[in-house]
Amino acid sequence: MIFKRLGKLINKHLEKKSEAHKNLLTKKNLYIFPNFNGFKLAFFIFFAFASSIFYQNNVGLLVSIILFIIYFISIIISYQNLSFIKVEPLNNLVPKNKNVYLSFFIKTLNNKERLNLNFFLNKKKIQNFDLIGSKKINTQHFFLKRGVQDMPQINLESLFPFGVIKAFGIIKLKEKLFVYPEPIKPPSNLISNLEKQYLENDNDYEFDTIEEGKLGDNLSRISWRHYSTMKKLYTKKFLKINNTNKILIDIEKLKSSNFELSLSYAAYLIEYYYNLKINFALKYKNYISSYSNSLNHKNDLLKFITNV
């Protein structure tokens, strides 16, 4: 009971310290404490030392001093094994309702080898590893709600070298996690209507040739000069200039009866037009983005619908 209360007090203190030293584990947010075996060994050393003095046993006294020195050295090694470590998230933009991986880059700030480290995420043990320079760790997650939230809390601990001294610390990350709506493919007719609504005018086409007209051809494309001389309908054919294509994704026109579904459609369309390398923009109420098909543009729009 006492140990649990002590553990809670230490954790609260570490969390406050970690707020001021985000992404880092240093002596300011690191604790070193004997575990249960460590307390037993400390009691044995004290008992052996006291008994040796009482019975004037020089051999026992020498052994107890040697054990004490080893115990003290293990404290120093445990501290050095876990201090000066930096953690950075490699991704902070994920969809909800999907199994996704969060990746973290862990590195030592003084390039010293670290052994037998335990990595915890939200107090759940993920991996035991040795750290030589740097390492990437992937953890699987499933997010049920969209929105901007704090990154999961990272705990690092080590029982190196003898398993009697526990070094542990909390790392809070300054980066935020963006959980955007689950991408859901909209009905094909919705995509078609979206593209038809923003078809380019004649200036967006390059003239190619003349062909005999057919019933139902667009009247704006009929060559009336040819009709006046040949008394037949001929239509002008154009080549589409693809690099001028652009699509406006208006969230309010996707599915007005279900806002969350509209956002899911928008998330799908953002990724869809990014993969097609078509310039696209996003509109919601008075907000309208610029047109682009870059990766930064896609990520910025996904972040926007995360917390819209």
Side-chain angles (χ1 to χ4, degrees), residues 198-201 203-205 239-247 277-279 291:
Y198 301 102
L199 282 176
E200 297 83 354
N201 57 32
N203 293 329
D204 296 320
Y205 290 80
L239 291 177
K240 205 176 196 181
I241 303 174
N242 290 326
N243 59 8
T244 62
N245 286 351
K246 56 184 181 181
I247 295 291
K277 301 303 178 187
I278 293 176
N279 290 326
Y291 284 90

Side-chain angles (χ1 to χ4, degrees), residues 229-246:
T229 57
M230 304 180 70
K231 303 303 180 184
K232 281 188 177 182
L233 291 179
Y234 286 86
T235 56
K236 295 175 283 188
K237 298 298 179 182
F238 296 84
L239 291 177
K240 205 176 196 181
I241 303 174
N242 290 326
N243 59 8
T244 62
N245 286 351
K246 56 184 181 181

Side-chain angles (χ1 to χ4, degrees), residues 32 41-42 45 64-80 161-162 164-165:
I32 300 172
L41 179 59
I45 293 172
S64 61
I65 292 174
I66 292 173
L67 288 176
F68 174 78
I69 293 173
I70 293 174
Y71 194 85
F72 182 75
I73 290 174
S74 69
I75 294 175
I76 297 175
I77 294 175
S78 295
Y79 168 77
Q80 293 177 341
F162 305 118
V164 294
I165 301 297

Side-chain angles (χ1 to χ4, degrees), residues 13-148:
H13 180 70
L14 280 177
E15 287 178 2
K16 289 181 180 179
K17 290 289 187 180
S18 299
E19 286 289 343
H21 302 86
K22 290 189 174 181
N23 295 69
L24 293 173
L25 188 58
T26 67
K27 62 182 181 180
K28 294 183 179 180
N29 56 337
L30 173 66
Y31 265 98
I32 300 172
F33 209 70
N35 60 6
F36 184 65
N37 290 329
F39 275 111
K40 290 194 293 185
L41 179 59
F43 178 78
F44 173 78
I45 293 172
F46 176 79
F47 179 78
F49 182 78
S51 299
S52 299
I53 292 177
F54 183 79
Y55 291 106
Q56 298 182 353
N57 188 327
N58 292 333
V59 175
L61 183 63
L62 179 63
V63 170
S64 61
I65 292 174
I66 292 173
L67 288 176
F68 174 78
I69 293 173
I70 293 174
Y71 194 85
F72 182 75
I73 290 174
S74 69
I75 294 175
I76 297 175
I77 294 175
S78 295
Y79 168 77
Q80 293 177 341
N81 191 53
L82 203 60
S83 62
F84 298 106
I85 292 177
K86 186 175 183 179
V87 180
E88 295 177 338
L90 295 178
N91 61 322
N92 67 336
L93 182 62
V94 294
K96 78 168 190 176
N97 292 338
K98 289 184 179 293
N99 285 316
V100 294
Y101 282 92
L102 290 180
S103 299
F104 301 93
F105 183 71
I106 305 175
K107 65 178 179 180
T108 61
L109 298 181
N110 52 13
N111 294 320
K112 290 184 179 180
E113 184 178 7
R114 313 302 173 89
L115 302 175
N116 196 25
L117 303 183
N118 292 316
F119 183 93
F120 294 80
L121 205 63
N122 286 341
K123 299 182 180 180
K124 178 183 178 182
K125 186 175 180 179
I126 302 297
Q127 189 175 343
N128 175 271
F129 63 97
D130 296 333
L131 183 61
I132 304 172
S134 61
K135 184 178 179 63
K136 178 182 177 182
I137 291 183
N138 296 318
T139 63
Q140 192 174 37
H141 293 268
F142 190 90
F143 297 97
L144 295 173
K145 293 183 178 180
R146 69 175 177 92
V148 182

Side-chain angles (χ1 to χ4, degrees), residues 255-298:
K255 186 71 176 177
S256 58
S257 62
N258 188 328
F259 182 65
E260 288 298 323
L261 187 57
S262 295
L263 293 179
S264 291
Y265 286 168
Y268 176 90
L269 292 171
I270 288 170
E271 294 181 342
Y272 175 73
Y273 290 115
Y274 167 76
N275 292 328
L276 290 179
K277 301 303 178 187
I278 293 176
N279 290 326
F280 61 92
L282 186 70
K283 181 180 183 302
Y284 178 65
K285 294 184 177 180
N286 295 327
Y287 167 82
I288 181 168
S289 72
S290 60
Y291 284 90
S292 178
N293 59 16
S294 68
L295 178 61
N296 286 338
H297 180 67
K298 183 196 79 165

